[in-house]
Amino acid sequence: MKTEILKIRSIVSDIDKIRRAGELLRGGEVIAIPTETVYGLAANALDEEAVARIFEIKGRPQDNPLIVHISEEYDLEKLCEDIPESAYKLAHAFWPGPLTMVLKKKDVVPGIVTAGLDTVGVRCPRGRFARAIIRSAGVPLAAPSANISGRPSPTDAKHVIEDLDGRVKAIVDGGRCSVGVESTVIDMTRETPVVLRPGGITLTQLKRVLGKVDTSFEAVGEVRSPGMKYRHYAPKAPVKVLIGGLSDAAEFIKKQSANRKVAVICFEEEAESFKETGAPVIPYGRESEPAELARGLFDALRRADESGAEEIYAREPGIGEGIELAVINRLEKAAGYNRIILDMNQ
Ligand code: TXA
Ligand code: MG
């Protein structure tokens, strides 16, 4: 299939392309669209056949539910019931934005979207192009990240083209995503809301509105969000997280690169020291600015592969309650929880 590339710079000057995207979606096609988090592989959420094709195109396991995207907050009530007061508070505080709320679904939401669960994840994205496309389509859109299942999520149209050119009817190119990691997923059907996936809305922000939140995504072995159990975000070469001081880390990389091709994903502040090792260095943002790390991580993982590295070593930020949590979560998953802890006394 020939993939149409619809490049959009502004809603006003490119309104014909927004309309084209809306028309394709209304007609049951699957297309990739930009959002503020990552690109999504979208289809009419109320059209079972169109949704089934999303799973096929991505190679996504059938038991992993999709997020439904709406353009207006009040559309939540068309898709969900038994909505607690706390969910309205979150919508008021963070929508449109990178927050997905899991709520009891109404019958209009087909079982294929939710992988048979009686709950549905709903999000009202902040991305202006995404909202304009949803409005133009006139239907809610089911959309997982627009990557081949298991690969790093796409934060630029070129990543989507890499994975899906020829497999989708159209790719809407809206430039780079401003957040760079996916939405925070929170289960609002529990007495105490449970964060299932850390993301663009931080724990600090959630706690400010909700008071108490359960963060069991940190619990090892417990799978509450079906998507959390699969290998994810992974480049082709194996990734290892490198923990320890900069000089030890640089020393380690120097030794490793004597034997094979390795690449280093690191903070801007560390780039000079790693460059001295001779290995390809891919900085993904400043350690002091976690939002930059979030924006740059998935692109860095893809570029590490392009460098031809047989092994990728990555530096991860210190833990807190901000967006660095999402960065750490994605990196640890990309690494399959493989970490190398450098011991200065060795
Ligand atoms: O930022 C985002 O959320 C992006 C953009 C495109 O909106 N979408 C995205 O979708 O990341 P996806 O499919 O890659 O991740 C959706 C996550 C999965 O971990 C899935 O298991 C979880 O949300 N999820 C969806 N519906 C759920 C439900 N009813 N109960 C529990 N988890 C759910
Ligand atoms: Mg995904």
Side-chain angles (χ1 to χ4, degrees):
M1 162 189 318
K2 170 110 178 77
T3 299
E4 269 175 62
I5 307 290
L6 301 168
K7 194 169 172 68
I8 298 181
R9 286 191 191 80
S10 103
I11 292 179
V12 180
S13 61
D14 296 312
I15 190 69
D16 53 324
K17 292 175 188 166
I18 303 261
R19 290 210 181 104
R20 172 72 181 145
E23 172 190 285
L24 288 171
L25 288 162
R26 248 192 333 276
E29 297 288 352
V30 177
I31 69 170
I33 63 168
T35 85
E36 78 277 22
T37 56
V38 301
Y39 276 73
L41 186 59
N44 178 358
L46 309 179
D47 178 341
E48 289 182 45
E49 279 174 36
V51 174
R53 281 216 304 288
I54 295 179
F55 284 90
E56 263 170 52
I57 292 168
K58 258 192 84 109
R60 183 178 177 105
Q62 292 281 347
D63 64 349
N64 193 359
L66 307 179
I67 293 171
V68 178
H69 298 70
I70 55 179
S71 62
E72 317 300 329
E73 292 165 38
Y74 50 75
D75 282 343
L76 178 65
E77 292 178 343
K78 296 183 186 153
L79 304 170
C80 301
E81 56 196 19
D82 299 341
I83 303 172
E85 197 46 44
S86 50
Y88 287 105
K89 280 191 189 158
L90 285 186
H92 184 67
F94 304 121
W95 277 2
L99 181 75
T100 296
M101 293 197 281
V102 171
L103 289 157
K104 191 161 188 308
K105 83 172 189 74
K106 280 189 172 170
D107 289 341
V108 289
V109 182
I112 187 164
V113 172
T114 65
L117 297 175
D118 59 4
T119 56
V120 61
V122 182
R123 161 163 128 81
C124 178
R126 185 170 68 209
R128 287 165 54 246
F129 300 154
R131 293 184 76 198
I133 291 166
I134 302 168
R135 273 194 207 116
S136 168
V139 290
L141 300 182
S145 48
N147 50 283
I148 296 290
S149 220
R151 298 264 300 140
S153 299
T155 51
D156 194 307
K158 69 174 187 235
H159 302 155
V160 184
I161 292 170
E162 248 168 54
D163 279 16
L164 300 178
D165 192 24
R167 301 169 82 152
V168 291
K169 187 81 185 161
I171 296 172
V172 179
D173 177 352
R176 277 187 66 179
C177 300
S178 60
V179 176
V181 289
E182 298 90 339
S183 62
T184 300
V185 180
I186 188 164
D187 182 351
M188 297 305 291
T189 66
R190 314 270 172 152
E191 181 73 23
T192 303
V194 186
V195 175
L196 302 177
R197 177 178 74 182
I201 295 295
T202 65
L203 275 186
T204 313
Q205 289 175 301
L206 291 173
K207 285 182 179 168
R208 210 176 291 142
V209 175
L210 295 174
K212 218 170 136 211
V213 280
D214 183 341
T215 56
S216 62
F217 64 87
E218 288 161 307
V220 178
E222 193 184 357
V223 177
R224 281 201 182 147
S225 183
M228 300 306 267
K229 69 183 179 213
Y230 296 104
R231 184 172 146 82
H232 250 129
Y233 318 116
K236 287 159 194 149
V239 181
K240 289 177 180 156
V241 174
L242 194 53
I243 312 271
L246 177 56
S247 54
D248 291 324
E251 192 58 36
F252 175 86
I253 293 297
K254 203 170 171 182
K255 277 195 196 131
Q256 294 304 309
S257 48
N259 310 323
R260 57 180 176 284
K261 280 200 84 176
V262 307
V264 188
I265 294 176
C266 69
F267 314 124
E268 298 283 0
E269 293 96 327
E270 301 185 329
E272 278 311 312
S273 304
F274 281 118
K275 273 180 193 154
E276 285 165 20
T277 67
V281 174
I282 302 157
Y284 69 116
R286 284 172 293 173
E287 184 176 20
S288 58
E289 298 293 333
E292 284 182 13
L293 300 175
R295 257 194 305 278
L297 177 65
F298 287 133
D299 182 64
L301 287 168
R302 283 176 185 260
R303 278 193 291 140
D305 262 343
E306 286 163 16
S307 77
E310 295 159 58
E311 198 143 50
I312 301 163
Y313 292 93
R315 300 287 279 167
E316 84 180 6
I319 201 156
E321 298 207 334
I323 199 157
E324 68 278 8
L325 258 187
V327 173
I328 294 167
N329 173 269
R330 306 306 189 272
L331 203 44
E332 294 277 346
K333 280 174 171 290
Y337 299 99
N338 258 310
R339 1 172 71 205
I340 291 179
I341 300 171
L342 299 170
D343 183 357
M344 298 198 312
N345 304 317
Q346 251 176 10

